[in-house]
């Protein structure tokens, strides 16, 4: 084929699920040596389209031309043989195995495993993604784990590399390193299909973007020629307004959430113990906890919600009441509300309706029980109120949670907690995998709650999000939390270094409060 022949052309791609037309005659063309963005809000159909490229999903209709030849991609193995590799957002690694063992599991035959250790060293160093092939995965940072997935793809010499939200778990320095690698791959002949909700990164990296909405193509553009706001507005088909700024609150007076030397052992085999954490959050204040995944965020969330008990009641104090030995229900009764990172199975029971999921956490504060029996009318009305106030796209309170896109389910979970008017809100990864419109709605809700006097703790790996929301910022690394810094007195670079475990020089220390 000639250099001008597209690497991949898809026309009329259609996929129907029960009650949902996921892809409606979608067209996509990826040129050679191109970094191509695929954009769209949650539920736009991106995942379905990518799964068809990688052979995970079979299309109901449409044609695929690969390297000038019509093909029907049968499965991921067939995709790999064609030269298509994919790095998924959620890693598929075995923690008890070494880097080499994990990569070997993804290779098709014994011949590909010959000399694998040496090839891993060569490829990883050649592309600026250094890996020790003998390290066990549970000892690696999240950034290093992502390198394993990328190197596994590179060992197959792909012509097309699909990357799904690749920077969501990386420090700013790791993001820049990844971008250098991707630009080099493109220059050497590998096309890249890049899926991300981080539109500033898309503008910096991608030469062209295909934008989807409601399962259809709606636009194609050069991202660098559009602002982040313009890209987001095309995605959601609406004007996007920045949240109204609120006065920044800083101070120890009127503390509603206090941690006193909180130390707990992780219940997970490869988890991170929390070590001597002390924090204080005043009413009206938002404290952001930044950090790379796997440094104790899940344990901190569980210790605050009561899923892990502290050693002493005074280790966690909610609105003046020692709560370290209270479980989740008792902590909710004294004014705490909690939104975990994992939506499916932890934040919501996917096979239950929205009304039932609303009841699970709001039955007490929302007065949804009468004479010991569920008040169905009030429970349905509560869920309907959340749906209406938070613009949750669904058929109604009787819809099952699993029928919602990730962003809409996240809006429902945030609304469920916010509408209980808590004195303390703890939220882990508020906008994980959420589009610009849903993220804005969530940020506005969190800021409004703080403005009404609640103390809010936001745990997030998204530094841009932390800087938008937080009055003060701390970093969690290795189960320890740094002293909080006033947001306006610290840089993203300084926080990024702390996230990476690099102690800054004295002159780079943020102002402490």
């Amino acid at each position: 084929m000639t250099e001008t022949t597209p690497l991949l052309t898809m026309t009329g791609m259609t996929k129907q699920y029960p009650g949902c037309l996921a892809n409606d005659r979608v067209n996509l063309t990826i040129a050679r040596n191109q970094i191509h963005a695929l954009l769209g809000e949650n539920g736009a159909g991106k995942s379905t389209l990518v799964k068809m490229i990688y052979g995970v999903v079979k299309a109901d209709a449409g044609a695929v031309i690969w390297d000038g030849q019509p093909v029907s991609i049968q499965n991921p193995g067939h995709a790999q043989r064609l030269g298509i590799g994919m790095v998924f957002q959620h890693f598929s690694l075995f923690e008890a195995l070494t880097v080499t063992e994990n990569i070997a599991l993804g290779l098709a035959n014994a011949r590909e495993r010959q000399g694998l250790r040496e090839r891993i060293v060569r490829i990883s160093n050649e592309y600026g993604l250094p890996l020790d092939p003998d390290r066990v995965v549970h000892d690696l940072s999240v950034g290093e784990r992502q390198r394993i997935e990328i190197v596994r793809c590179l060992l197959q010499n792909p012509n097309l590399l699909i990357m799904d939200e690749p920077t969501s778990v990386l420090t700013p320095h790791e993001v820049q390193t990844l971008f250098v690698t991707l630009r080099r791959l493109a220059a050497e002949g590998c096309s890249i299909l890049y899926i991300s909700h981080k539109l500033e990164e898309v503008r910096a990296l991608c030469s062209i973007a295909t934008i989807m909405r409601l399962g259809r193509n709606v636009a194609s553009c050069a991202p660098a020629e559009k602002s982040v706001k313009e890209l987001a507005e095309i995605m959601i088909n609406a004007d996007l307004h920045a949240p109204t700024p609120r006065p920044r609150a800083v101070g120890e007076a009127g503390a509603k959430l206090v941690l006193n030397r909180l130390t707990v052992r992780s219940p997970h085999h490869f988890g991170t113990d929390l070590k001597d954490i002390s924090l204080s959050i005043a009413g009206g204040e938002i404290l952001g906890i930044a950090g790379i995944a796997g440094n104790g965020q899940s344990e901190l969330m569980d210790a605050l919600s009561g899923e892990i008990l502290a050693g002493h009641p005074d280790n966690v104090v909610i609105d003046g009441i020692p709560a370290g030995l209270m479980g989740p229900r008792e902590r909710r009764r004294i004014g705490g509300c909690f939104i975990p990172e994992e939506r499916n199975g932890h934040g919501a029971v996917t096979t239950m309706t929205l009304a039932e999921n609303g009841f699970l956490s709001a039955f007490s504060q929302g007065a949804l029980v009468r004479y010991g029996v569920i008040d169905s009318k009030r429970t349905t009305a509560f869920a309907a109120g959340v749906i209406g106030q938070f613009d949750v796209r669904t058929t109604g309170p009787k819809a099952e949670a699993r029928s919602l896109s990730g962003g809409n389910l996240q809006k429902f979970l945030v609304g469920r907690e916010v509408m209980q008017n808590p004195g303390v809100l703890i939220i882990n990864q508020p906008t994980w995998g959420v589009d610009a419109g849903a993220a804005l709605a969530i940020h506005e809700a969190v800021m409004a709650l703080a403005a009404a006097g609640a103390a809010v703790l936001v745990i997030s790996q998204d530094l841009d999000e932390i800087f938008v929301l937080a009055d003060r910022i701390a970093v969690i690394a290795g189960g320890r939390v740094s002293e909080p810094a006033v947001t306006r007195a610290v840089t993203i670079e300084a926080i990024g270094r702390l996230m990476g475990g690099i102690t800054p020089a004295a002159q780079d220390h943020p102002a402490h409060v």
Side-chain angles (χ1 to χ4, degrees), residues 48 94 146 149 163 238 257 299 308 330 334 352 418 439 443 459 497:
T48 300
F94 292 92
Q146 188 185 64
E149 298 280 13
M163 305 199 78
L257 177 65
E299 288 81 3
I308 299 176
E330 294 171 291
I334 62 173
M352 293 175 68
V418 168
H443 288 171
I459 303 170
R497 288 196 295 270

Side-chain angles (χ1 to χ4, degrees), residues 111-270:
R111 191 189 326 174
E112 290 180 309
R113 300 188 188 103
Q114 293 176 4
L116 179 59
R117 186 185 182 282
E118 292 72 23
R119 288 162 55 214
I120 291 172
V121 172
R122 178 175 58 81
I123 292 291
S124 63
N125 288 329
E126 185 177 330
Y127 284 96
L129 303 166
L131 283 172
D132 180 344
D134 301 321
R135 288 278 300 278
V136 179
V137 166
H138 71 75
D139 287 334
L140 301 179
S141 71
V142 179
E144 289 172 318
R145 296 181 192 204
Q146 188 185 64
R147 291 180 204 169
I148 298 174
E149 298 280 13
I150 296 172
V151 169
R152 178 154 58 189
C153 283
L154 294 182
L155 286 166
Q156 299 167 24
N157 298 312
N159 295 313
L160 173 64
L161 181 60
I162 304 169
M163 305 199 78
D164 187 4
E165 297 287 350
T167 64
S168 58
V169 294
L170 302 183
T171 67
H173 175 71
E174 288 173 325
V175 170
Q176 293 307 313
T177 300
L178 175 63
F179 282 10
V180 169
T181 301
L182 296 183
R183 290 186 182 108
R184 176 177 172 183
L185 284 169
E188 293 178 352
C190 178
S191 298
I192 295 161
L193 183 59
Y194 190 87
I195 304 168
S196 179
H197 289 303
K198 297 186 177 182
L199 299 181
E200 198 60 71
E201 292 181 359
V202 169
R203 293 182 69 249
L205 181 68
C206 302
S207 59
I208 190 167
T210 294
I211 302 176
M212 297 181 65
R213 188 191 317 129
L214 299 176
R216 294 183 175 181
N217 298 93
V218 294
S220 179
C221 66
E225 297 175 2
K226 301 285 186 181
S227 67
V228 167
K229 182 174 182 290
E230 288 171 327
L231 289 172
E233 288 176 344
I234 296 171
M235 288 165 54
I236 66 175
N237 195 30
D239 292 337
L240 199 61
H241 303 287
T244 304
R246 65 183 181 86
R248 294 288 183 176
V250 176
E252 298 291 329
K256 286 200 167 187
L257 177 65
V258 178
L259 304 185
N260 294 310
R261 309 197 69 174
L262 175 66
T263 299
V264 298
R265 183 176 294 278
S266 174
H268 310 297
H269 187 58
F270 297 116

